[in-house]
Each structure stands twice: as C-alpha cells, then as structure tokens.
Amino acid sequence: MGHGDKQLQDRVQSLLDNNQELKVYGIKARVNNGHVDLSGVVDTLSEKQRLRELVKGVSGVKEVDVGVAISTDGAIDDEDVSFEVAEEFNADPRINLRHVGARSVDGVVILQGTVEDPAEDEAAIRAAARARGVKDVVSRIQVKRKDLADAGLDTIFHSQVRNDGEADY
C-alpha cells in the first residue's frame, strides 16, 4: 500500500467510524490505488447504498466496491420481506398502494404497477430499499403521463415527435 493509499484509507475509515447512522456496523475499508473495498454487514439495502454514496464523496476515491452483506437476522423468508416492504410503503405518503405492489423472490423485490408521476416510482424504490431482508430492488412500474392517457394515437405520436426535438414549422 502506497503512502497516498494509507492516508486515503485512514480518511475513509475515520468517516465510517464517525458516521452516526453507520458507525454501529463497524464497516472496514481497504484501499488499493484509490479503489476502496468495503466489508462488513448492514441491516438494509438503503444503508448499503448510503455507504457507496458516502465513500464516493471522499476526495481521492476512484472507485468503491461495497462487498457488504445485508443481515437478515435469522431466517427471513420472502413473505417476511414482502410484509416489510408493505410496511415501508404504508409509511410513505408519496406511495399510493392502489398504484404500486411488490413481491419478493429470494430477497429481490420486484415492484409492479402503473403511476402517473415518476416521483412515486422513485419513492417506491427507496421505500423498498429501507425494508429488512431486501437484497435488491427491480422496478417494473410503468409511468404513464396523465395528459396522454386518454389521448388518441395521433395526439400521442405528435407529442412524442415534439419531445424528440423536432420543431413545428
């Protein structure tokens, strides 16, 4: 390990050890040529994602490999994961349960449904990532613009053409 890597490793480790929400996990950082490898265990996918963003923001970090496992606190099955995701959805006022549903397959949560606002899809992805036992989130939610939902094909075609940057002359 070069001198620069040692300094970078010390800075990253200090950041991890002093972060209020993440320090309880005792995540370890190793640095080689500016590439940071993180190891340890966290409770949720959102915490794993937070680790990546936090470390990517450190000056001198070229790449981050988050080799961090997600704890399932014993035998958590897909039914438990689906229940946890539903709890997170219920707690988020941006998510309408008539629009969005979720199922878990081996800890991978698949989101389905149709929304009018892309922000609702993003909120559902973030909420699912906060649930315990979730290893990954795949969104199959369709975003349909309300103003085009009842329009004829001709209107939709012209809207798409204008959105593609063609001017009306």
Side-chain angles (χ1 to χ4, degrees):
M1 178 185 308
H3 181 67
D5 281 343
K6 173 73 173 118
Q7 285 184 323
L8 181 56
Q9 181 169 306
D10 290 346
R11 285 201 327 266
V12 170
Q13 192 64 58
S14 176
L15 179 69
L16 296 172
D17 293 344
N18 292 301
N19 181 282
Q20 283 302 113
E21 79 183 272
L22 299 170
K23 68 181 179 183
V24 297
Y25 296 115
I27 302 299
K28 297 297 174 206
R30 289 185 33 227
V31 177
N32 186 15
N33 291 326
H35 295 260
V36 180
D37 287 318
L38 300 175
S39 60
V41 178
V42 295
D43 284 340
T44 65
L45 178 61
S46 63
E47 290 167 327
K48 185 174 179 176
Q49 293 166 334
R50 173 90 176 98
L51 269 172
R52 177 183 305 281
E53 293 308 309
L54 190 67
V55 174
K56 271 175 48 178
V58 175
S59 176
V61 171
K62 295 177 185 170
E63 194 174 312
V64 181
D65 181 24
V66 185
V68 171
I70 298 169
S71 167
T72 56
D73 289 336
I76 187 168
D77 62 18
D78 283 322
E79 190 175 320
D80 298 326
V81 171
S82 295
F83 177 80
E84 294 275 346
V85 170
E87 291 284 300
E88 292 294 339
F89 283 3
N90 278 325
D92 193 326
R94 296 168 297 181
I95 302 169
N96 184 330
L97 294 176
R98 290 191 306 256
H99 299 166
V100 179
R103 66 186 171 95
S104 176
V105 180
D106 295 329
V108 176
V109 173
I110 300 162
L111 305 179
Q112 296 175 306
T114 304
V115 299
E116 293 171 355
D117 184 356
E120 188 173 357
D121 179 32
E122 292 165 18
I125 292 168
R126 281 195 302 278
R130 288 190 300 269
R132 289 182 326 110
V134 175
K135 297 174 187 168
D136 200 3
V137 179
V138 176
S139 177
R140 293 195 177 141
I141 294 173
Q142 295 183 350
V143 179
K144 297 205 175 180
R145 286 179 40 195
K146 186 176 184 173
D147 59 340
L148 294 180
D150 299 319
L153 288 175
D154 195 48
T155 305
I156 293 170
F157 174 77
H158 287 296
S159 170
Q160 287 173 339
V161 167
R162 280 194 299 275
N163 286 343
D164 288 342
E166 292 185 24
D168 293 326
Y169 293 107

